[in-house]
Amino acid sequence: MLETLRRIVQEVNSAPDLSSALNVMVARVRLSMGTEVCSIYLLDHSANRYILMATEGLKKEAVGMATLHFSEGLVGQVGMREEPINLDDAPSHPKFRYLQETGEEPFHSFLGVPIIHHRKLLGVIVVQQRDRRRFDQEEEAFLVTLSAQLAAVVAHAEATGAIDGIFGNTMGGVTTKFDGVVGCIGVAIGTAFVVYPAADFKSVPDRPVKNIRKELKAFNDALKRVRADIRALSEKASLTLPPEEQALFQVYERMLDDNALAGEIRTHVQGGNWVQGALREVVMKHVAAFEAMEDSYLQARASDVRDLGLRILAYLQEAKTLSAPIPERAIVVGEDITPTIFVDIPRERIAGIVSLHGSSNSHMSIVARSLGIPTVVGVGEFPLFRLEGLNLIVDGHRGEVIVQPGPEVLRQYQAIISEQAELSKELESVTDLPCETTDGHRINLFVNTGLMADVNISLQRGAEGVGLYRTEIPFMVRDRFPSELEQMEIYRQQLEAFYPAPVTMRTLDVGGDKSLPYFPIQEDNPFLGWRGIRVTLDHPEIFLVQIRAMLWASESLDNLRIMLPMVSSVMEIDEAMHLIHRAYLEVLEEGAHVQMPEVGVMIEVPAAVYQIQDFVQQCDFLSVGSNDLTQYLLAVDRNNRRVASLYQAFHPSVLRALKHIIDAAKAEGTPVSICGEMAGDPCSAVLLMAMGYETLSMSATSLLRVKWVLRKVGMDAAQELLAQVWKMDNAAVIKSHVDLMLDRAGLGNFIRPTLFQGTSSQEPKVQAR
């Protein structure tokens, strides 16, 4: 049964379009289950009706014609109950509705299973037989399993607009909207520029060919290099493999002949697709064909074709990495964009970012916020291949991406951009003013940084110091560990730029969603694995070099503070302090004139929350990393878009943990700040101030907005708001209540644009699929 499921799923996923996928599904299910009828009804939400979209066993002419209201018939009953219905005599059921055009009169047995994707009902799959019998549990389980697989296919078609064609709708001038998660607030209008990881067919877009001769030359050059690789492998294999296994390399070479893959690829290039897109089309077509075959030997040839294709693609991409012209206002779109994109593409060309994966607190989002680039992440059903060159709007306030916006939508978003520009000018008036509440309470505003590009904007916006310098970024943009001298020069630039203000440098924090290409960490559950202080304590040679570089960089400045990430026990602090003191003595012996810097600990895991009194005996200060703390308290992977809605900074447990931390630290007389993204949100900043946090560290783009709001609020009013929040038990209610209170105080514009406030009639008119 498992093998049958696998084959059906492979065939469905390889279908060129939704109609073909549905036809494959009904044909294979009918054959596999030995039933007389298999049909699929999809729910047209705009008409609130089910439409028969594929069938084997009923009249074919009924496809697209036979319909049922949402609550009508057994199909409607399956959908409303959202669970299978299994009957031995369907016509006797009070909800049975006979559709004459389908010719289903002789069938008695009925098994219907809902097609649901992420809680959304998409349709119903039905099997029927003439005999009066209930389908057994194994048959029901088989159909439920297939329905879950089909749901993803239908959901993708719905998200990309492909489903409109089979419902008979036309898109016309209606704008298409895709939902994601806010990565960085703001609005950007620009042209899609698709980027893709090396040698990955899934993310290679189609692009119109501009110079066929040039494309074919690139292809021929790549072919020559792949052939040379294969011959080299063949010679090496002759020393170890038997003759029958060596023959595989001859098969590889024949696949590259003009009468095989190479000829087809050239034809596609001449037909108008660039060479990488043509390669993807041909290779994936053959891979799908081989995977669908019954013979296991032929099935295995699919991996051979894919391997050959990836070898060619690697050479093509080596010659053409980001060589496509970058639009002046590029909306950078990719499957999983990493912070290195800011190195590969000039910052002034990046208007916005859209990533299929990631979350609002993924590392790329954090860097985007530091640069003020409107970003939406977790847009899982985005039609990546078809976006190149299209007009996009990135709505970083509501987490939406709008494709090919119409004139009215464009006008409204251009108005939002103008409003935000005017607001920015207004915010600049507080740049040189202290962050002080209306009743004289002083708050320190620090900046989170990691790129030299952050420095100027941070200083221009009045940052009073660095609450978090992410030292891993210089590690991430190299192909090896940076030397002590290289690190020292980078750290010195940061320390000098902010002198005499303090600069808090977090020691190397890799693992989780931050990886180094030359030091990969492969784990099933990386966020609960080897990351942060755990890595550097296991590699003292890395830790000591970094600490020495920091100390040398601080010579004659002495504004360095060192911060340890992901600490969960006193023992880790003891070990780290031993190494820090060792490095300090070493640089003193070598002639450095530096003071011993303050050393602090990040509070990011629940275990740390309950060890505050123990931690402060070993360190000089504490800093709350609210991003990871929220993730671990709620058991929500912040990069998993399926549970993105469960990541709630205003969750009562998160707020109570934050209050416990500040109370415990103040009781011991230890300074404590917060450097997570909550600090940069004006709404949560008001609550943090009310709790007792006096130092907030955030991205440079958030500084003036937070300062403006806190300067308009009194501490008494903030504490009264916090007292109201303690009585609430729902994160959404808490967030809405805080928003409402700030709106009433006349500060709504500093939370979201005017057009996003009030009723839905004021919002840009965009049709959601």
Side-chain angles (χ1 to χ4, degrees):
M1 187 65 76
L2 186 61
E3 179 63 21
T4 302
L5 278 167
R6 186 185 67 81
R7 290 180 182 174
I8 293 175
V9 171
Q10 280 184 342
E11 219 173 327
V12 168
N13 288 335
S14 300
D17 52 49
L18 181 61
S19 293
S20 301
L22 298 179
N23 289 328
V24 166
M25 177 69 85
V26 294
R28 296 296 176 263
V29 169
R30 180 191 184 201
L31 180 65
S32 301
M33 293 184 65
T35 64
E36 294 166 90
V37 175
C38 179
S39 307
I40 294 174
Y41 297 82
L42 294 186
L43 181 58
D44 183 350
H45 290 274
S46 62
N48 211 29
R49 298 189 70 83
Y50 288 97
I51 304 175
L52 177 65
M53 299 311 307
T55 187
E56 282 288 329
L58 300 182
K59 293 180 179 180
K60 291 285 189 181
E61 54 268 29
V63 172
M65 304 299 295
T67 70
L68 290 162
H69 186 266
F70 175 77
S71 61
E72 190 177 10
L74 291 174
V75 169
Q77 188 74 353
V78 171
M80 288 193 298
R81 290 177 54 174
E82 295 186 338
E83 63 179 350
I85 291 180
N86 191 348
L87 303 171
D88 57 3
D89 187 22
S92 66
H93 192 280
K95 291 290 291 184
F96 179 78
R97 166 82 161 82
Y98 172 58
L99 296 176
Q100 185 174 357
E101 59 268 39
T102 65
E104 64 179 337
E105 187 174 13
F107 302 105
H108 292 272
S109 298
F110 174 96
L111 171 60
V113 173
I115 303 169
I116 298 174
H117 183 75
H118 291 177
R119 303 188 183 186
K120 183 178 181 181
L121 179 64
L122 302 176
V124 174
I125 183 169
V126 173
V127 290
Q128 296 171 273
Q129 275 188 275
R130 284 183 170 83
D131 297 340
R132 289 180 170 86
R133 75 170 185 94
R134 285 177 63 87
F135 289 91
D136 62 36
Q137 290 186 4
E138 186 175 348
E139 290 171 313
E140 184 173 319
F142 178 79
L143 198 61
V144 168
T145 306
L146 280 174
S147 170
Q149 298 288 337
L150 180 60
V153 176
V154 176
H156 180 73
E158 183 179 57
T160 58
I163 202 167
D164 290 321
I166 68 169
F167 280 156
N169 301 333
T170 57
M171 289 182 63
V174 178
T175 299
T176 306
K177 180 187 75 176
F178 296 87
D179 293 324
V181 177
V182 174
C184 176
I185 64 169
V187 169
I189 301 173
T191 305
F193 179 73
V194 180
V195 297
Y196 43 90
D200 183 356
F201 281 125
K202 291 189 299 181
S203 300
V204 173
D206 287 326
R207 286 178 181 160
V209 66
K210 294 182 178 179
N211 187 326
I212 291 178
R213 179 180 295 180
K214 185 178 178 182
E215 293 294 307
L216 291 177
K217 182 182 184 304
F219 178 57
N220 290 334
D221 290 344
L223 273 184
K224 287 178 184 177
R225 296 177 72 177
V226 171
R227 284 195 175 101
D229 288 348
I230 291 172
R231 293 190 188 104
L233 287 171
S234 179
E235 290 174 10
K236 188 176 180 180
S238 65
L239 303 175
T240 55
L241 296 180
E244 59 271 20
E245 296 296 336
Q246 295 173 34
L248 173 63
F249 295 99
Q250 297 173 8
V251 173
Y252 272 26
E253 287 210 62
R254 286 197 294 271
M255 284 183 184
L256 297 175
D257 288 346
D258 285 345
N259 59 357
L261 294 177
E264 287 189 58
I265 293 165
R266 288 193 179 93
T267 300
H268 279 70
V269 171
Q270 290 165 347
N273 200 358
W274 73 317
V275 64
Q276 295 187 33
L279 175 67
R280 187 204 74 235
E281 281 188 85
V282 172
V283 169
M284 297 314 294
K285 181 187 76 173
H286 284 279
V287 166
F290 278 120
E291 287 180 341
M293 292 178 179
E294 298 287 334
D295 185 88
S296 59
Y297 175 82
L298 292 176
Q299 282 180 2
R301 300 287 67 77
S303 62
D304 296 335
V305 175
R306 184 184 288 106
D307 178 64
L308 267 182
L310 289 175
R311 288 175 182 273
I312 299 170
L313 182 61
Y315 282 122
L316 289 171
Q317 291 186 344
E318 182 182 306
K320 271 192 156 179
T321 303
L322 289 175
S323 61
I326 303 170
E328 286 190 11
R329 292 192 56 77
I331 304 296
V332 180
V333 182
E335 186 167 347
D336 196 0
I337 295 175
T338 65
T340 56
I341 194 67
F342 304 113
V343 178
D344 294 328
I345 298 178
R347 166 64 188 92
E348 65 273 11
R349 293 264 176 165
I350 305 176
I353 297 171
V354 181
S355 178
L356 274 65
H357 301 306
S359 77
S360 62
N361 289 301
S362 63
H363 207 58
M364 190 279 299
S365 295
I366 291 171
V367 176
R369 278 196 290 277
S370 75
L371 297 175
I373 302 173
T375 300
V376 175
V377 296
V379 192
E381 301 295 344
F382 220 34
L384 201 62
F385 299 153
R386 306 192 323 198
L387 290 174
E388 188 73 32
L390 297 185
N391 294 325
L392 301 184
I393 293 175
V394 178
D395 182 345
H397 293 279
R398 296 188 296 188
E400 298 171 354
V401 183
I402 301 166
V403 181
Q404 294 293 71
E408 177 60 18
V409 173
L410 269 175
R411 186 193 66 77
Q412 294 193 47
Y413 273 98
Q414 285 165 346
I416 290 171
I417 292 174
S418 297
E419 177 194 326
Q420 294 294 287
E422 289 299 315
L423 183 63
S424 295
K425 292 179 183 177
E426 191 173 349
L427 289 174
E428 289 172 5
S429 65
V430 301
T431 298
D432 299 323
L433 299 178
C435 183
E436 192 171 281
T437 64
T438 56
D439 46 8
H441 190 80
R442 184 75 162 83
I443 300 293
N444 303 308
L445 296 188
F446 283 22
V447 71
N448 299 336
T449 179
L451 298 168
M452 281 308 297
D454 294 339
V455 173
N456 286 337
I457 188 172
S458 300
L459 294 172
Q460 289 168 4
R461 299 192 176 192
E464 299 172 77
V466 176
L468 168 63
Y469 174 68
R470 302 182 181 93
T471 62
E472 61 273 7
I473 293 181
F475 284 74
M476 294 173 73
V477 297
R478 283 173 166 76
D479 58 3
R480 57 172 174 76
F481 284 109
S483 68
E484 182 177 322
L485 180 59
E486 288 173 325
Q487 291 185 59
M488 187 270 285
E489 291 174 346
I490 294 169
Y491 303 154
R492 181 74 180 185
Q493 290 177 328
Q494 291 285 333
L495 292 166
E496 285 181 334
F498 287 94
Y499 179 80
V503 175
T504 307
M505 294 191 169
R506 181 175 65 188
T507 58
L508 183 63
D509 186 16
V510 293
D513 64 337
K514 292 169 286 189
S515 62
L516 304 178
Y518 49 87
F519 190 65
I521 301 173
Q522 301 294 332
E523 295 179 310
D524 290 337
N525 199 338
F527 281 102
L528 295 182
W530 200 47
R531 60 171 303 200
I533 195 70
R534 299 169 183 176
V535 175
T536 49
L537 288 181
D538 284 349
H539 282 276
E541 76 282 8
I542 297 173
F543 188 76
L544 284 167
V545 168
Q546 183 174 40
I547 298 299
R548 285 172 52 88
M550 290 179 182
L551 292 169
W552 276 111
S554 70
E555 190 172 28
S556 75
L557 299 175
D558 295 320
N559 59 337
L560 167 69
R561 301 203 311 169
I562 296 173
M563 188 160 65
L564 307 174
M566 286 299 298
V567 174
S568 59
S569 71
V570 171
M571 182 180 68
E572 290 170 334
I573 303 175
D574 288 340
E575 289 184 48
M577 292 298 294
H578 170 74
L579 292 172
I580 291 170
H581 281 285
R582 174 179 156 185
Y584 178 64
L585 292 175
E586 286 176 1
V587 298
L588 288 182
E589 290 174 1
E590 293 168 16
H593 299 282
V594 294
Q595 295 179 8
M596 178 64 187
E598 291 186 340
V599 179
V601 170
M602 293 195 74
I603 307 299
E604 301 177 276
V605 298
V609 174
Y610 301 103
Q611 296 182 84
I612 299 297
Q613 291 179 324
D614 299 319
F615 282 10
V616 298
Q617 307 305 316
Q618 310 291 325
C619 64
D620 300 301
F621 65 92
L622 300 176
S623 183
V624 179
S626 64
N627 303 341
D628 271 323
L629 182 60
T630 302
Q631 169 175 251
Y632 291 126
L633 281 171
L634 302 182
V636 174
D637 178 354
R638 66 189 193 188
N639 289 325
N640 186 340
R641 65 185 181 86
R642 291 183 177 178
V643 293
S645 63
L646 300 178
Y647 184 94
Q648 300 166 328
F650 287 83
H651 193 287
S653 67
V654 176
L655 298 179
R656 287 169 187 155
L658 292 171
K659 187 67 168 74
H660 174 81
I661 293 166
I662 187 68
D663 289 346
K666 283 195 168 186
E668 299 294 329
T670 300
V672 58
S673 63
I674 181 165
C675 63
E677 293 303 315
M678 285 182 73
D681 176 358
C683 294
S684 52
V686 171
L687 296 183
L688 293 170
M689 180 181 72
M691 289 180 194
Y693 287 90
E694 296 177 350
T695 301
L696 309 179
S697 188
M698 64 205 69
S699 63
T701 53
S702 300
L703 277 169
L704 296 182
R705 193 181 298 267
V706 170
K707 183 187 286 189
W708 181 281
V709 170
L710 295 186
R711 283 180 54 85
K712 299 294 183 180
V713 176
M715 176 59 84
D716 288 344
Q719 290 178 336
E720 182 181 345
L721 177 60
L722 181 63
Q724 295 167 0
V725 163
W726 291 138
K727 300 174 184 177
M728 301 174 184
D729 59 4
N730 182 292
V733 171
I734 292 172
K735 179 69 166 67
S736 296
H737 182 71
V738 176
D739 281 355
L740 178 62
M741 292 300 102
L742 292 181
D743 278 344
R744 288 180 176 175
L747 299 171
N749 288 1
F750 299 91
I751 303 170
R752 73 191 73 79
T754 304
L755 286 172
F756 291 168
Q757 300 174 38
T759 64
S760 59
S761 63
Q762 292 174 291
E763 298 175 351
K765 306 301 188 295
V766 181
Q767 178 173 322
R769 298 292 176 192

